Amino acid sequence: MRKDGTRFWANVVITALRDDAGTLVGFAKVTRDLTERRLAEQQAIATARRLAQSEQANQVKASFLAAMSHELRTPLNAIAGYADLLISGIGGGVTDQQQQYLTRIKSSQQHLLSIINDILNFSRIEAGQVTYDIRDVPLARVVDAVIPMIEPQAEAKGLHLVHSHCDGLHVRADRAKLEQVLLNLLSNAVKFTEPGGSITLSCEQRSAMVAIMVTDTGIGIPPEEIGSIFQPFIQVGRTLTSTQEGTGLGLAISSDLAQAMGGELTVHSAEGEGSRFTLMLPVARDAAP
Ligand code: ADP
């Protein structure tokens, strides 16, 4: 105990003092205040315990979501299957109006399925259950794979889609996941750009990193919302229960994937003018400066 009555952790060393003849003449006492060190140790233990608990909670949440998603997909597939059977007329003829209703059932089924797939995908990434096959990836091949997938949607909406400066650049990445991120960014650009606008996929080496940019001339993102769009389930100006396309998980998934591949995903946007999403990835080993 200190003189003022407060308790503290201490290390006390008492040494016997003897004269030349070996006779005990007294004691020397050295007291070291260990309070700070003890407190730091206790804090570290508490933090580690909290981390372990939240890790465990995350795992439980992820496996619950994975199991739920799986259970939901089975009946959803049955709904699509029976709707297809009715549409094909195997069970008897259907009127034009019934055909229309069935088509709506199918498109709602597909929407719900894509939400469930997003949730499953996100929960797996968050739980660290996703493995990455990191290699040197030529960006020209990635561009060749993603552009044809997005072209029909861009064309249908009257958007001008261009790509530039990606040939000859190589990054360290998991190719399938890189394509997934770019497809998500490109389909967002299509979704949030009015007809007549343009979307550009471009690349640029910046010392040890490569920037892959998806730029659109779309509606843009208000400054007060920009900080939250990478959070799960965030959709600017929309609520979770709204019927519009999307789950608000695409950017959260893309950002997680970018970080897991040693990169990052950032955005610059001006409301009414457009947005630019930049995916930074490490340059391929051979091409490193
Ligand atoms: P989703 O597209 O499924 O709604 P995302 O996570 O991909 O979810 O995007 C979250 C939100 O960020 C979108 O709902 C939209 O409000 C905003 N956003 C994303 N990309 C763009 C873009 N290119 N232009 C404008 N807003 C965008």
Side-chain angles (χ1 to χ4, degrees), residues 79-125:
I79 291 172
Y82 284 110
D84 278 338
L85 277 180
L86 286 173
I87 291 171
S88 72
I90 287 179
V94 285
T95 65
D96 284 353
Q97 182 147 48
Q98 286 166 341
Q99 280 267 3
Q100 245 181 40
Y101 293 160
L102 286 167
T103 312
R104 283 192 197 166
I105 290 176
K106 270 217 75 179
S107 81
S108 295
Q109 180 272 346
Q110 269 156 13
H111 183 207
L112 196 48
L113 194 59
S114 76
I115 294 178
I116 290 166
N117 283 338
D118 266 2
I119 294 177
L120 186 60
N121 212 336
F122 182 65
S123 58
R124 281 197 185 131
I125 295 171

Side-chain angles (χ1 to χ4, degrees), residues 123-178:
S123 58
R124 281 197 185 131
I125 295 171
E126 288 280 295
Q129 289 168 353
V130 172
T131 50
Y132 295 81
D133 179 16
I134 305 280
R135 297 160 188 262
D136 285 1
V137 179
L139 284 181
R141 299 262 294 277
V142 172
V143 172
D144 285 349
V146 295
I147 290 291
M149 285 198 248
I150 205 73
E151 241 162 9
Q153 293 168 44
E155 232 168 71
K157 218 178 155 185
L159 297 168
H160 190 53
L161 177 64
V162 284
H163 58 91
S164 62
H165 303 300
C166 295
D167 289 6
L169 287 175
H170 295 66
V171 291
R172 291 287 298 162
D174 178 311
R175 186 171 158 184
K177 297 191 176 67
L178 167 56

Side-chain angles (χ1 to χ4, degrees), residues 111 114-115 118 191 235 238 240 242-249:
H111 183 207
S114 76
I115 294 178
D118 266 2
K191 211 155 58 171
Q235 296 180 304
R238 281 190 260 158
L240 194 59
S242 80
T243 52
Q244 285 208 47
E245 237 182 282
T247 51
L249 276 175

